[in-house]
C-alpha cells in the first residue's frame, strides 16, 4: 500500500496545522498572562483574570489574537482599566466618576481614589452596592427615578444608615464622605477622595508575554499539529 498526497492536499493540511498551532499558542499566552496578573495585581477578581479573550485562527485566516474583552455588561470593560496597566498613560474616567461630573460635583480633570473608610470586598475593591447608594443619595443617577426620595432619606436617618455627602470636612479633601450620626454627635469618614489625574507607568507586560510565548511555543505546537494532521489524513 502507498499514500499519495497531492500538492493541494498537502497545502490544506499545512494551513490546518498552522491554524491549530496559532490557536494553541494564543491560549498558552493567555494562561501565562493570567499567571502574571496574579503575581503583579493585589487579589485580582475572577472578572479581571478572565478579561483576556482569544480569537482562534482559521484555515482562511491564519491569525490568532489575544486581547482584552471590550464588553462587560453592567461592569467596566477590561479595555478601560487593564489596558492602561499594559501600556501606561492616564486612567480613563469611570462611569461612576462621569455621573458625579454630570451632577456638578467632581471637577473635570480629577478622578476618585478609595478613602480609608471605604468598605472593601474580599478582593480589596469597594463593595459594588456602595456605588449605587452614593449616586442615589447624591442625586447623580442617570435615571432620576433612582434618586433617593425625601421619604427614603428620613427612613435612613431613623435607622442611622450610611449617609454619603460630597464635602471637604476640615479641609481634609473633597470627595464622598460618609456621615455617621450617633445619639450624641456625629463623625465622618472618607469613602472616595478626589485627586488630580495621574499618568501611570506600565505594570502589566502583556505584549511582551504574548511575544515570548509565541517565540517559544509556536514551533513545537506547529510540529505537533502537522504530525497529527498528516496522521489523520492517511
Amino acid at each position: 500500500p502507498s499514500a499519495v498526497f497531492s500538492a493541494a492536499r498537502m497545502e490544506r493540511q499545512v494551513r490546518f496545522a498552522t491554524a491549530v498551532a496559532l490557536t494553541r499558542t494564543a491560549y498558552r499566552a493567555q494562561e501565562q498572562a493570567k499567571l502574571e496578573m496574579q503575581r503583579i495585581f493585589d487579589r485580582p477578581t475572577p472578572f479581571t483574570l478572565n478579561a483576556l479573550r482569544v480569537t482562534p485562527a482559521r484555515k482562511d485566516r491564519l491569525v490568532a489574537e489575544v486581547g482584552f474583552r471590550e464588553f462587560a455588561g453592567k461592569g467596566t470593560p477590561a479595555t478601560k482599566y487593564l489596558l492602561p496597566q499594559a501600556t501606561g498613560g492616564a486612567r480613563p474616567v469611570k462611569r461612576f466618576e462621569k455621573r458625579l461630573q454630570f451632577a456638578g460635583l467632581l471637577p473635570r480633570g480629577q478622578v476618585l481614589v478609595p478613602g480609608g473608610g471605604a468598605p472593601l470586598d474580599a478582593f480589596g475593591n469597594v463593595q459594588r452596592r456602595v456605588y449605587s447608594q452614593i449616586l442615589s443619595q447624591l442625586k447623580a443617577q442617570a435615571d432620576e427615578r433612582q434618586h433617593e426620595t425625601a421619604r427614603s432619606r428620613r427612613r435612613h436617618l431613623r435607622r442611622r444608615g450610611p449617609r454619603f455627602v460630597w464635602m471637604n470636612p476640615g479641609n481634609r479633601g473633597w470627595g464622598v464622605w460618609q456621615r455617621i450620626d450617633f445619639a450624641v454627635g456625629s463623625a465622618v469618614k472618607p469613602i472616595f477622595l478626589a485627586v488630580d489625574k495621574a499618568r501611570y507607568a506600565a505594570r502589566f507586560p502583556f505584549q511582551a508575554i504574548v511575544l515570548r510565548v509565541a517565540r517559544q511555543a509556536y514551533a513545537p505546537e506547529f510540529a505537533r499539529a502537522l504530525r497529527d494532521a498528516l496522521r489523520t489524513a492517511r
Side-chain angles (χ1 to χ4, degrees):
S2 62
V4 178
F5 287 97
S6 68
R9 186 179 181 186
M10 177 62 76
E11 182 181 356
R12 287 196 299 271
Q13 294 302 102
V14 170
R15 291 185 69 84
F16 174 77
T18 301
V20 170
L22 287 170
T23 300
R24 288 175 177 171
T25 301
Y27 278 112
R28 289 178 64 167
Q30 181 190 44
E31 288 304 312
Q32 285 298 313
K34 283 185 180 182
L35 292 174
E36 184 67 9
M37 283 193 282
Q38 290 176 308
R39 187 185 71 81
I40 64 176
F41 296 140
D42 180 25
R43 291 171 290 170
T45 65
F47 181 83
T48 294
L49 292 176
N50 292 318
L52 295 175
R53 52 117 181 109
V54 170
T55 302
R58 304 190 307 263
K59 286 191 294 184
D60 60 342
R61 181 180 177 275
L62 295 179
V63 176
E65 298 176 356
V66 185
F68 298 98
R69 298 186 189 278
E70 298 181 358
F71 179 75
K74 294 183 179 180
T76 302
T79 50
K80 293 287 186 181
Y81 69 94
L82 267 183
L83 193 57
Q85 299 287 345
T87 61
R91 170 176 71 77
V93 177
K94 298 179 180 179
R95 188 181 310 171
F96 174 66
E97 295 164 333
K98 288 182 180 179
R99 297 310 320 162
L100 294 176
Q101 287 180 347
F102 293 152
L105 300 174
L106 179 66
R108 296 189 181 277
Q110 291 193 325
V111 295
L112 295 174
V113 295
L120 306 179
D121 60 20
F123 299 101
N125 300 315
V126 178
Q127 296 175 5
R128 294 183 64 85
R129 61 178 175 81
V130 173
Y131 291 95
S132 58
Q133 290 177 349
I134 290 173
L135 294 178
S136 177
Q137 293 184 18
L138 296 184
K139 299 189 182 304
Q141 292 278 21
D143 185 350
E144 292 186 0
R145 291 173 297 181
Q146 296 178 320
H147 289 168
E148 182 185 59
T149 63
R151 182 178 179 183
S152 297
R153 185 176 187 278
R154 289 194 297 270
R155 186 169 64 249
H156 273 291
L157 290 174
R158 285 197 303 270
R159 296 178 180 175
R160 293 195 175 92
R163 296 297 312 162
F164 299 108
V165 184
W166 183 268
M167 60 190 304
N168 181 13
N171 204 31
R172 293 155 62 188
W174 282 100
V176 179
W177 292 72
Q178 181 181 344
R179 185 160 56 205
I180 307 168
D181 295 315
F182 305 104
V184 178
S186 62
V188 293
K189 60 180 180 180
I191 305 301
F192 288 102
L193 294 174
V195 298
D196 292 334
K197 268 189 175 182
R199 296 190 66 82
Y200 299 95
R203 300 173 54 204
F204 175 37
F206 168 69
Q207 190 173 33
I209 292 171
V210 174
L211 292 176
R212 183 179 71 246
V213 173
R215 286 194 297 267
Q216 295 174 349
Y218 174 73
E221 287 291 358
F222 174 75
R224 180 162 69 102
L226 183 60
R227 184 171 59 250
D228 293 342
L230 294 177
R231 183 185 304 118
T232 57
R234 290 173 184 173

